[in-house]
Structure formats: structure tokens, C-alpha cells
Amino acid sequence: QVQLVQSGAEVKKPGASVKVSCKPSGYTFTDYYIHWVRQAPGQGLEWMGRISPKSGGTRYAQKFQDRVTMTRDTSISAAYMELSRLSSDDTAVYYCARTTTVTTSSLAFDIWGQGTMVTVSS
Amino acid sequence: EIVLTQSPGTLSLSPGERATLSCRASQSVSSTYLAWYQQKPGQAPRLLIYGASSRATGIPDRFTGSGSGTDFTLTISRLDPEDFAVYYCQQYGSSLWTFGQGTKVDIK
């Protein structure tokens, strides 16, 4: 069964960093990009960026450029998203999702993780 | 960056009625890269439509995507009780992905 399994909920203080993991199963890890999307309470979906598990290459949304780092560990087939200098505005559910790397394809997000709630509170 | 604007913000309809959701882009989008998602409370989004008009695996044929250029539409021909949810359009362009702000379809 193809799935993405994320790490558990986190509570952080303002100014801290958080690192969320995403572990795919049921397919070849390096064949698909991993994306990170967040959703603040009661709000819409916001794309943060993506990583190529094959090359490690990343592309970030401009809004997060200076605060987000996406990495992967091919030895254990896991992807990570680290967000630094947290504020209360970063309280959200963080999802990972995958797309094919084939640019002639639709590049739609066909599989999503279950989401990780990150709460930033003093 | 391409901005997607969805309308209406909320659509109040009864089961069995037809729903028409709009997604307008600030500049032309390749149909290949336009997708629609459904999200229910407490759940991750689910892919409904990709390539503007292709249904994802397991999606009922009451869901239809159409459009091109800057105007795209998701139509639900006859609303089933399980269809009341929030719907997002999404596009890819210039190595960036963006979402619309969503349309909530709720029960009238």
C-alpha cells in the first residue's frame, strides 16, 4: 500500500525550530518528489516547497526561503522539513505529499501524509 | 507567481443538486498542471482531478473538471451527502505550486 507516514505532533516555543519527518512506503522513494504543504487552523492550503529524494535538490516558496530546510535520508527512505524561528503564525498542520518527477505528467499531489500538528506557544 | 482565485467562497446546496465551482488564474495555466482536491474536516486533502479534466483513481464520475487558460471549473453533477467538503484548485508553473483559497460546499 502506497502511503506517507509523518511524525507526531509537536509543541514548540517561539523562536525555536521544528523538524517533521515523512516516511514513504509502497513505492520507490527516489521516483517521486516530496512536497510540504501547511494549513493553519481554519485556513487554506499553502505550498512550502519540495525536495527531490534522488538528487536532494530543493525548491522553496519565496515566503519560506530563509526559514525552511528540506532534506532527505536515502538510507532509510525518509524526508524531513525543518522550520526555524517559529512564531505563533506557524501554528498549523504540516502535510507531506508526493508528485512524480516526470514534468510531462500532471505533477498533482496523489498521495498525502496524515499531517503533523505543530503548535507554537509560549 | 500565479494566483488562483476560487469562487464562490461558500456554496450552500442540497443533496442531489448540481455544484459548479470556479477557479480563475492570474495568468494562463497549462491544463496539464491544473488539479482539484477535496478536503473533509480532520483529513488530508484528496486528489480528485488532474490535468484539468482527468479523474483520479476511484473518483466517481459525478465529478467533472473542465476549462483552459485562466478559467477552470469543477462540476459535481448530483451532490451526494459525502461530497460536502472544501475544494481547492492547484496549479504548477515555473517550478512552483500554488493553491486557490478554497470553496466550501455545505448543506443548505
Side-chain angles (χ1 to χ4, degrees):
Chain A
Q1 181 187 0
V2 176
Q3 58 181 351
L4 300 173
V5 179
Q6 299 183 221
S7 49
E10 302 264 11
V11 179
K12 295 292 181 182
K13 295 212 182 298
S17 297
V18 68
K19 191 171 186 177
V20 180
S21 69
C22 174
K23 193 155 173 52
S25 62
Y27 70 93
T28 302
F29 179 52
T30 52
D31 284 352
Y32 291 80
Y33 289 142
I34 293 291
H35 298 255
W36 292 91
V37 176
R38 78 176 187 179
Q39 185 171 40
Q43 302 302 307
L45 303 171
E46 184 173 31
W47 180 77
M48 300 178 68
R50 64 92 177 141
I51 183 167
S52 165
K54 189 171 188 176
S55 67
T58 55
R59 181 70 189 230
Y60 302 139
Q62 188 168 9
K63 176 178 178 177
F64 301 101
Q65 194 87 294
D66 61 343
R67 290 201 298 137
V68 73
T69 303
M70 296 178 188
T71 56
R72 93 295 191 212
D73 185 338
T74 54
S75 68
I76 58 170
S77 296
Y80 304 92
M81 185 283 299
E82 184 170 21
L83 190 62
S84 63
R85 304 196 304 275
L86 293 169
S87 73
S88 57
D89 290 341
D90 296 313
T91 293
V93 176
Y94 290 76
Y95 293 101
C96 62
R98 76 167 195 178
T99 62
T100 178
T101 60
V102 178
T103 53
T104 54
S105 177
S106 72
L107 301 178
F109 296 4
D110 63 342
I111 302 293
W112 293 67
Q114 83 276 18
T116 296
M117 182 70 212
V118 175
T119 303
V120 183
S121 174
S122 55
Chain B
E1 175 183 313
I2 296 176
V3 175
L4 299 178
T5 302
Q6 293 186 240
S7 61
T10 302
L11 200 49
S12 296
L13 295 167
S14 301
E17 288 194 297
R18 180 186 188 90
T20 302
L21 288 66
S22 173
C23 176
R24 180 161 290 176
S26 59
Q27 55 188 281
S28 187
V29 171
S30 168
S31 295
T32 300
Y33 301 137
L34 194 288
W36 290 91
Y37 300 84
Q38 177 192 66
Q39 188 180 32
K40 297 179 181 178
Q43 297 184 16
R46 176 174 72 145
L47 177 64
L48 292 178
I49 301 287
Y50 64 92
S53 60
S54 297
R55 278 184 292 274
T57 303
I59 302 304
D61 61 6
R62 63 180 180 273
F63 291 92
T64 301
S66 63
S68 64
T70 59
D71 289 297
F72 297 88
T73 300
L74 175 69
T75 302
I76 311 171
S77 59
R78 294 171 310 280
L79 281 165
D80 187 273
E82 66 182 15
D83 299 336
F84 292 93
V86 180
Y87 293 83
Y88 295 94
C89 59
Q90 178 210 42
Q91 70 84 38
Y92 162 80
S94 302
S95 300
L96 302 172
W97 282 257
T98 55
F99 289 92
Q101 83 279 19
T103 290
K104 183 178 183 180
V105 179
D106 66 13
I107 300 177
K108 190 174 182 180

